[in-house]
Amino acid sequence: MSATTQPQPAPSTGKPVRRVTVADIAKMKAAGERITMLTAYDYPTARIVDEAGVPLILVGDSVGMVMLGYEETVRVSMAEMLHHVKAVVRGTRHTLVVADMPFLSYGVNVEQSLENAGKFISDGGAQAVKVEGGVRMARTIEEIARAGIPVMGHIGLTPQSVHGLGGHRVQGKSVESARKLLADAFAVQESGAFAVVLELVPAELAAAVTERLKIPSIGIGAGAGCSGQVQVITDLLGLTYGFIPRHAKQYEHLADRMSEAITAYASDVADGTFPTAENSSSMDAAVLDEVLGTGELDRAALARAAAMMSDDPIPLDRDL
Ligand code: KIV
């Protein structure tokens, strides 16, 4: 990633690092710099992504499927999202953190949308929120943005409405659905969003939408013509079970490497090769001798300790 328009992380200097802002993201689009976004759901991963200089982290509701074992993202609650957003924010100093608003936490009425978006900023510490939906979500985006909360839109395949869309299908292949996608993109932009995710959209249509928008488009399964790309980090790192989407590129196979490490640990414990002296601490032999050498434990001290932990003190004459 080029360093021309946005502040770079300085993890080792200990100096304060400026966080990426939505204005930096707009500058990247204006300068023609491709924008990288990745999901993260926990503190250690967020630190690694932050220190790698990735400008945008999405705490996606994909957390439900890839971290919590739900079958669908619609199962994720506000409380679960907030928990993960807080962990990610604690792990970042540079990256702009976008909190994904979970199913029905927005769009029901303005008050509820504002209250929940506000929780991600004031309780969670995120810098922006993401909502799914184009034309139908225009009013919601407008109200949240007007309250001073940066909003990222999300159109094309919107997983929270997957049942209505008839499954995880590419969106915008017909004249009608391509027109709808264009209308959604403009509605999101005109409502005041700072960027829009295009998910599972034909590459040609995504490129045409991107050319026509002033705000950056962030693609996932939408080809190389978008202003930036987002990926679910577990797909990228190979920390998944079963299905890997076609649009994902696996840069690592962490599940295999973790499995190897865990098997090696279990085998070391089983055959007694872990822990070694290096993994243990030792004590002065004279102290141990004094405790054990008399052949007598300090019964009174043990009884006093037990009494402190129980309402039913151990009698001094009990065989310890
Ligand atoms: O929840 C998520 O991870 C997302 C991305 C797929 C854009 O919404």
Side-chain angles (χ1 to χ4, degrees):
M1 186 177 62
S2 152
T4 53
T5 53
Q6 56 113 25
Q8 290 297 291
S12 52
T13 61
K15 287 187 196 151
V17 178
R18 182 166 85 72
R19 213 180 262 281
V20 175
T21 64
V22 292
D24 294 319
I25 300 300
K27 280 186 206 153
M28 289 180 79
K29 153 99 177 168
E33 285 178 46
R34 293 202 174 85
I35 302 161
T36 314
M37 178 157 90
L38 253 182
T39 68
Y41 313 104
D42 59 51
Y43 173 83
T45 314
R47 275 196 73 150
I48 296 167
V49 176
D50 185 73
E51 288 176 12
V54 171
L56 287 167
I57 284 181
L58 171 66
V59 187
D61 63 358
S62 49
V63 68
M65 293 172 79
V66 301
M67 291 284 147
L68 304 179
Y70 293 141
E71 300 235 323
E72 293 164 335
T73 60
V74 293
R75 304 284 304 277
V76 179
S77 68
M78 267 302 291
E80 285 167 331
M81 283 304 302
L82 264 174
H83 177 78
H84 287 274
V85 166
K86 286 179 186 176
V88 166
V89 168
R90 286 193 289 267
T92 58
R93 296 189 302 149
H94 162 259
T95 303
L96 191 162
V97 178
V98 182
D100 211 0
M101 296 196 67
F103 183 54
L104 293 187
S105 69
Y106 61 99
V108 177
N109 59 59
V110 170
E111 292 72 29
Q112 172 234 29
S113 306
L114 279 178
E115 190 184 332
N116 285 328
K119 279 187 189 159
F120 283 121
I121 307 300
S122 57
D123 295 359
Q127 288 79 48
V129 296
K130 176 168 85 59
V131 303
E132 293 186 8
V135 172
R136 71 186 166 87
M137 220 40 81
R139 169 109 201 279
T140 301
I141 296 174
E142 199 173 342
E143 293 292 343
I144 300 175
R146 192 182 294 159
I149 300 174
V151 185
M152 177 176 277
H154 183 161
I155 60 172
L157 188 277
T158 44
Q160 291 173 8
S161 346
V162 71
H163 299 304
L165 295 172
H168 287 87
R169 297 213 183 115
V170 175
Q171 304 292 308
K173 281 190 152 184
S174 68
V175 171
E176 192 193 352
S177 64
R179 283 202 179 120
K180 178 180 178 312
L181 192 97
L182 269 167
D184 280 341
F186 281 112
V188 166
Q189 171 171 284
E190 297 318 310
S191 309
F194 76 96
V196 61
V197 169
L198 304 181
E199 180 165 355
L200 287 194
V201 173
E204 303 84 340
L205 180 60
V209 168
T210 302
E211 272 171 29
R212 285 161 179 75
L213 286 182
K214 293 195 277 285
I215 59 172
S217 66
I218 312 288
I220 175 161
C226 297
S227 324
Q229 299 291 326
V230 56
Q231 285 287 301
V232 171
I233 194 156
T234 47
D235 288 339
L236 200 93
L237 298 179
L239 200 52
T240 47
Y241 301 94
F243 175 71
I244 297 163
R246 174 174 162 194
H247 59 70
K249 177 172 170 186
Q250 274 199 328
Y251 289 81
E252 249 306 342
H253 299 278
L254 277 197
D256 295 344
R257 290 181 56 178
M258 285 171 75
S259 173
E260 281 160 26
I262 291 161
T263 309
Y265 161 71
S267 142
D268 283 358
V269 171
D271 66 19
T273 50
F274 176 86
T276 61
E278 260 179 35
N279 313 117
S280 313
S281 57
S282 59
M283 68 186 286
D284 189 337
V287 174
L288 190 60
D289 267 1
E290 195 175 327
V291 175
L292 303 177
T294 62
E296 276 298 318
L297 294 174
D298 183 345
R299 286 164 180 273
L302 282 173
R304 273 198 303 279
M308 282 171 67
M309 295 189 292
S310 156
D311 295 338
D312 181 19
I314 300 170
L316 283 181
D317 58 353
R318 192 170 120 192
D319 194 8
L320 298 169

